[in-house]
Amino acid sequence: MTWHNCSPGAGRVALARSNTAGIVPADPVYLATAETLGEQLNLPVLPVGTVARDCIEFDLLLHCGDGLSLQLTGRRAPGPVTVDFGAADMRHRRQSGHNELLGRAVGVGKKSSLHVVDATAGLGRDSFVLADLGCHVLMCERNPLIQSLLSDGLARAVRGDSWLQEVAGRMVLWQGDSTLAPQRVDDPRDVIYLDPMFPARDKSAAVKKEMALFQFLLQDDNQDQAGLLHWALAQDVARVVVKRPPKAGFLDELKPSHSIKGKAVRYDVHVLRALA
Ligand SMILES: C[S@@+](CC[C@H](N)C(=O)[O-])C[C@H]1O[C@@H](n2cnc3c(N)ncnc32)[C@H](O)[C@@H]1O
């Protein structure tokens, strides 16, 4: 493999304490898009054809083609992760009633046009579920690489079928720390939703590769979960909902008003006032 503009050490960008990443155009036609993205994210553009399993100079590759996908490198590299709200698993989750618990936790049905701040948006799956249930969702994501996947997924949803367009129309992305997202007077917030960790939820290949990616990217990120909960509880909202693994303790040992339990997940609901 040949490297352009990417001799080890040169052009490397720290994402967390030690992560480095490069952008790989899927084809020469995507070179200009890759360069623009490279400037925005301050990342080097690598040669077309750079393969994750052969790459040793970088920890992560952001593949840039019709959409974006992010992949860990190395011989055992899992597949690339992308945000695709129209994917079969999102549709299946909707039809199989898996979204009901999350809807109940945030209070869907208790107030029309519920406004939710997803303060840990990640790949936007929970945000999309909430928007599909009719909520207006402000997604906050502070990791620049995850932001780029999310922003790409949202842009493709806006160009998708009428269902995707309608749901995506209720989603807005704030690229930064949720505690710093500006609040306008005409920007109501009813609920803050937190999913700070990425626990093992099922063993499907798709979830495994997402988990591996998040565990790598967020290895230095876990210390402030309790701080985020205390920030959320101090905001002028009716509820704070925290997603937890079913058997985990309460975040920062703070007892919620009630919990909604499923097989793979638990939602701890802190009720601060009535939803009205
Ligand atoms: C476990 S993931 C969330 C997964 C998400 N619920 C989903 O459905 O895809 C947690 C995400 O929260 C982000 N995050 C953590 N603290 C944050 C903060 N204070 N502001 C914005 N994003 C934050 C992390 O970068 C990470 O992407």
Side-chain angles (χ1 to χ4, degrees), residues 119-121 123-126 141-142 146 177-178 195 197-198 214:
T120 53
L123 299 175
R125 287 168 171 272
D126 291 330
E141 177 50 54
R142 68 179 176 190
I146 301 176
D177 195 294
S178 44
D195 174 16
M197 296 188 311
F198 220 77
F214 271 97

Side-chain angles (χ1 to χ4, degrees), residues 12-32:
R12 302 183 105 202
V13 174
L15 296 161
R17 207 180 296 154
S18 55
N19 309 165
T20 60
I23 303 181
V24 184
D27 179 282
V29 295
Y30 297 109
L31 194 57

